[in-house]
Amino acid sequence: MKPVAHGGDMRESQRRFPDAPRPWIDLSTGINGVPYPVTALPAEAWSRLPTHRDEQALLAAAAARYRVRDAGAIVAAPGTQALIQLLPRLLPKSRVAVLGPTYEEHEVCWRRQGHGVTVVSTLEEAEGADVVVIVNPDNPTGRLFSVKALRAISARLLVVDEAFIDLLPAQESLAGDMPPNSIVLRSFGKTYGLAGMRLGFAIAEPGLIDRIHNELGPWAVSGPALEIGRMALGDGQWLTATTARLAVDGQRLDAILTAAGCKIVGGTALFRLAHHFDAQAMIARLGQHAIHVRGFEREPQWIRFGVPANPHEFNRLTKAFNL
Amino acid sequence: MKPVAHGGDMRESQRRFPDAPRPWIDLSTGINGVPYPVTALPAEAWSRLPTHRDEQALLAAAAARYRVRDAGAIVAAPGTQALIQLLPRLLPKSRVAVLGPTYEEHEVCWRRQGHGVTVVSTLEEAEGADVVVIVNPDNPTGRLFSVKALRAISARLLVVDEAFIDLLPAQESLAGDMPPNSIVLRSFGKTYGLAGMRLGFAIAEPGLIDRIHNELGPWAVSGPALEIGRMALGDGQWLTATTARLAVDGQRLDAILTAAGCKIVGGTALFRLAHHFDAQAMIARLGQHAIHVRGFEREPQWIRFGVPANPHEFNRLTKAFNL
């Protein structure tokens, strides 16, 4: 199987544009460029095996943040990707409908475990599937289904990947009041800007959560991730400030991209999806200015832009466009 | 299934001996009490997704340390436990023989995936099994099979968990010259005293390593673990000094345990297995002195002692025994 292309690895751009000035700016991901501050960790977070108590403290903070009522309905993993890998192993061979185009790992992981996968573009086309997978809001388009629309889906299992929902109003998430046939995935690293830390969550009925917990095994999440995750998820003030900053910076990005001739066709608080008639030339131009963005093989007129992290990055982008 | 009892969680001892003086000392694990120093990490290790290049740099350091010749023959995971969980999913239903008594997660994980598991006490009893699992040296007994004995095993798959082999001469490891039917697991956290970091490796023929890599998925290992692991595994000087310190401290521990009436019946550089006619009373006595050790339900006369980390811990142990 051909490996899935992701944002975040600048090597290829750097090889393609060896003469671009250093340092490069990475706008290819939807990872917050202003991370939650990592303070000095207690030595024990590194040295000893995480305890049940450490794990419970993280899960309590996550449950409060995500409005999960039942402590037995949430489990932590070393990144949402670990859950995307695992879930297809827990179900008998099924007909799986993935709402697309979207984050490609869902399709790849269900297929790898022998399920029959169709990528569909509407909820209607997903009807009759045993498993329906929806990234909500979608990456990269930002398409958002309402909780009401999600609750109307009658599949045996509904997988809702809410990797980019943190910065939307809480009522947009299915996690607070889940139908019994559903599982919600929540990511830590994108909103909190700590993607290297590896932390994600699954929320579902306790029976399924137990099975996931057993498959992950003991000590699945690192001590530092348990500690930082607990602090960050409990910090409502930081999230409020981040939401406000990204609202302002996102509008600034929109203005720049529009002035550069792009049409904003989608996005979330952490990234924008831009359409440009000659997106490939635009990607090359940005590369010559040492700015790495995300193109899409299947949609050659699309570019995904992460929100710049600071005035310096905004200036670099403005200059690259000659605005 | 009843969860497996492990060392490392002092809560139960603390509840049992609420009047013991603080702080507690944890000698219940085989984790080095003098960890590899965690220096300040580059912010990017936390903030961005680990790249292929980061992963390759770690694997190169690990391959050199473990004398693995083929770069495609090794894969990293967030802890050896993640590999112990995963391996039984990759094989058709098999007859599995686990050399025991040993680290119980092997038995539990093969059984969970529907394999037929027998715990056997000799290599002869393992004959005829499809899969043979050996912890080498064993935890907790320290029993060590020679590479020659391991190579003579004709099972379809031989799993050798070398979690405690780092501090033995390199030629004791199967990793340097592996028979094609074998897979070796190497742990980072025990020797380097960073069990909370979650890092482990599998070494096998590239076809099997590819399958494991695909099952783990991208970004399985955290950025901090890639960075610290690479530095530590490349630091031969630290390992030499640690080996020397543990040799001295291990002998000191032996002398104390012998004087306390124990017989040393096994162990490795990182722990000792002691036999005492009234081990339960000894565990209680140590608990009253706020020292947490590991007892064994199935072997009530056994106690596992981690090697104390410093003179203070040695003194506490000596005093608890009234020596």
Side-chain angles (χ1 to χ4, degrees):
Chain A
M1 228 170 325
K2 196 183 159 193
V4 176
H6 297 283
D9 200 333
M10 283 199 293
R11 290 276 136 195
E12 203 191 313
S13 285
Q14 289 172 342
R15 268 193 298 271
R16 198 174 150 204
F17 306 104
D19 301 328
R22 304 288 166 126
W24 277 72
I25 293 176
D26 188 3
L27 299 183
S28 73
T29 79
I31 300 165
N32 185 353
V34 186
Y36 190 83
V38 175
T39 51
L41 291 165
E44 288 194 337
W46 298 100
S47 62
R48 65 166 167 68
L49 283 169
T51 65
H52 180 66
R53 189 186 164 95
D54 300 330
E55 191 183 359
Q56 290 308 113
L58 171 74
L59 292 179
R65 173 62 50 213
Y66 303 148
R67 304 194 179 188
V68 175
R69 292 164 199 180
D70 180 350
I74 182 165
V75 62
T80 305
Q81 182 64 34
L83 296 162
I84 294 173
Q85 300 276 144
L86 188 153
L87 206 49
R89 290 183 202 128
L90 300 184
L91 271 81
K93 299 291 168 273
S94 307
R95 289 161 302 154
V96 179
V98 177
L99 267 280
T102 191
Y103 181 63
E104 288 179 51
E105 289 284 352
H106 287 288
E107 178 187 348
V108 167
C109 289
W110 285 96
R111 233 186 257 291
R112 182 184 293 121
Q113 302 300 333
H115 301 276
V117 183
T118 320
V119 178
V120 300
S121 49
T122 64
L123 282 185
E124 290 67 37
E125 289 173 78
E127 256 173 50
D130 305 311
V131 178
V132 174
V133 181
I134 301 179
V135 180
N136 201 52
D138 183 48
N139 171 18
T141 64
R143 173 185 56 190
L144 181 72
F145 290 107
S146 70
V147 164
K148 193 179 160 198
L150 295 175
R151 295 184 72 89
I153 294 171
S154 62
R156 187 147 52 81
L157 183 68
L158 167 66
V159 182
V160 185
D161 179 348
E162 298 189 340
F164 286 100
I165 213 162
D166 290 352
L167 300 161
L168 287 175
Q171 62 268 23
E172 299 290 353
S173 168
L174 198 62
D177 186 15
M178 295 185 45
N181 66 333
S182 64
I183 180 166
V184 164
L185 307 178
R186 297 285 297 235
S187 295
F188 178 83
K190 292 174 179 68
T191 299
Y192 292 88
L194 297 171
M197 199 182 86
R198 313 310 298 133
L199 181 62
F201 300 89
I203 303 159
E205 54 88 15
L208 180 53
I209 291 301
D210 265 0
R211 288 183 65 202
I212 294 174
H213 204 265
N214 280 336
E215 292 292 323
L216 287 168
W219 321 298
V221 175
S222 73
L226 290 172
E227 179 76 11
I228 296 167
R230 181 183 53 72
M231 287 191 290
L233 289 166
D235 190 342
Q237 210 172 347
W238 184 89
L239 194 61
T240 303
T242 294
T243 306
R245 177 185 67 76
L246 282 166
V248 173
D249 286 355
Q251 287 180 359
R252 190 169 168 195
L253 176 60
D254 289 344
I256 293 170
L257 296 180
T258 306
C262 294
K263 193 178 157 199
I264 310 296
V265 293
T268 70
L270 288 168
F271 63 82
R272 291 297 193 269
L273 185 63
H275 179 280
H276 191 271
F277 75 97
D278 196 0
Q280 297 310 308
M282 182 171 273
I283 290 172
R285 183 191 182 93
L286 291 167
Q288 282 148 7
H289 287 80
I291 297 173
H292 178 47
V293 294
R294 172 82 153 86
F296 295 83
E297 210 171 290
R298 296 184 193 175
E299 298 282 351
Q301 298 194 314
W302 282 4
I303 310 177
R304 190 180 65 190
F305 288 86
V307 177
N310 51 51
H312 171 72
E313 291 192 2
F314 271 110
N315 286 342
R316 289 273 303 268
L317 190 63
T318 310
K319 276 189 189 155
F321 284 135
N322 216 0
L323 294 173
Chain B
M1 228 170 322
K2 197 184 158 193
V4 176
H6 296 283
D9 199 334
M10 283 198 294
R11 290 276 138 194
E12 203 190 313
S13 286
Q14 289 172 340
R15 267 193 297 270
R16 196 173 151 205
F17 305 105
D19 301 328
R22 305 285 167 125
W24 277 72
I25 293 176
D26 188 1
L27 299 183
S28 73
T29 79
I31 300 164
N32 185 353
V34 185
Y36 190 82
V38 175
T39 51
L41 292 165
E44 288 195 337
W46 298 100
S47 63
R48 65 166 168 70
L49 282 171
T51 65
H52 181 66
R53 190 187 163 94
D54 299 331
E55 191 183 358
Q56 290 307 112
L58 171 74
L59 292 179
R65 172 62 51 213
Y66 303 148
R67 305 194 179 188
V68 176
R69 292 165 200 178
D70 179 349
I74 182 165
V75 61
T80 304
Q81 181 66 33
L83 296 162
I84 294 174
Q85 301 276 143
L86 188 153
L87 204 50
R89 291 183 202 127
L90 299 184
L91 271 81
K93 299 293 169 271
S94 307
R95 289 161 303 155
V96 180
V98 177
L99 267 278
T102 192
Y103 181 64
E104 289 179 50
E105 289 284 351
H106 287 288
E107 179 188 348
V108 166
C109 289
W110 285 95
R111 233 185 258 291
R112 181 184 294 121
Q113 302 301 334
H115 301 276
V117 183
T118 321
V119 178
V120 300
S121 49
T122 65
L123 281 186
E124 289 69 38
E125 290 173 77
E127 256 173 51
D130 304 311
V131 178
V132 174
V133 180
I134 300 179
V135 180
N136 202 51
D138 183 49
N139 171 18
T141 65
R143 174 185 56 193
L144 182 71
F145 289 106
S146 70
V147 164
K148 194 179 159 198
L150 296 175
R151 294 184 72 89
I153 295 171
S154 61
R156 189 147 49 83
L157 183 68
L158 168 64
V159 182
V160 185
D161 178 348
E162 297 189 339
F164 286 100
I165 213 162
D166 290 352
L167 300 160
L168 288 174
Q171 63 267 24
E172 299 291 351
S173 168
L174 197 62
D177 186 16
M178 293 185 47
N181 66 332
S182 64
I183 179 165
V184 164
L185 306 178
R186 298 284 298 234
S187 295
F188 178 83
K190 293 174 180 68
T191 299
Y192 292 88
L194 296 171
M197 200 182 86
R198 314 310 298 135
L199 181 61
F201 299 89
I203 303 158
E205 53 88 16
L208 180 54
I209 292 300
D210 265 0
R211 288 183 64 202
I212 295 174
H213 204 266
N214 279 337
E215 292 291 324
L216 287 169
W219 322 298
V221 174
S222 72
L226 291 172
E227 178 76 11
I228 296 168
R230 181 184 53 72
M231 287 191 291
L233 289 166
D235 190 342
Q237 210 172 349
W238 184 90
L239 195 61
T240 304
T242 294
T243 307
R245 178 185 66 77
L246 283 165
V248 172
D249 286 356
Q251 286 180 359
R252 189 167 169 198
L253 176 60
D254 290 344
I256 293 170
L257 296 180
T258 306
C262 294
K263 194 179 156 194
I264 310 296
V265 293
T268 71
L270 289 167
F271 63 82
R272 292 298 193 270
L273 184 63
H275 180 279
H276 191 271
F277 76 97
D278 196 0
Q280 297 310 308
M282 182 172 273
I283 290 172
R285 183 191 183 96
L286 291 167
Q288 281 149 7
H289 287 79
I291 297 173
H292 179 46
V293 294
R294 173 82 151 86
F296 294 84
E297 211 172 287
R298 296 183 191 176
E299 297 282 351
Q301 297 194 314
W302 283 4
I303 310 177
R304 190 180 65 190
F305 288 85
V307 177
N310 52 50
H312 171 71
E313 291 192 1
F314 271 112
N315 286 343
R316 288 272 304 267
L317 190 63
T318 310
K319 276 189 189 153
F321 284 136
N322 215 359
L323 295 172

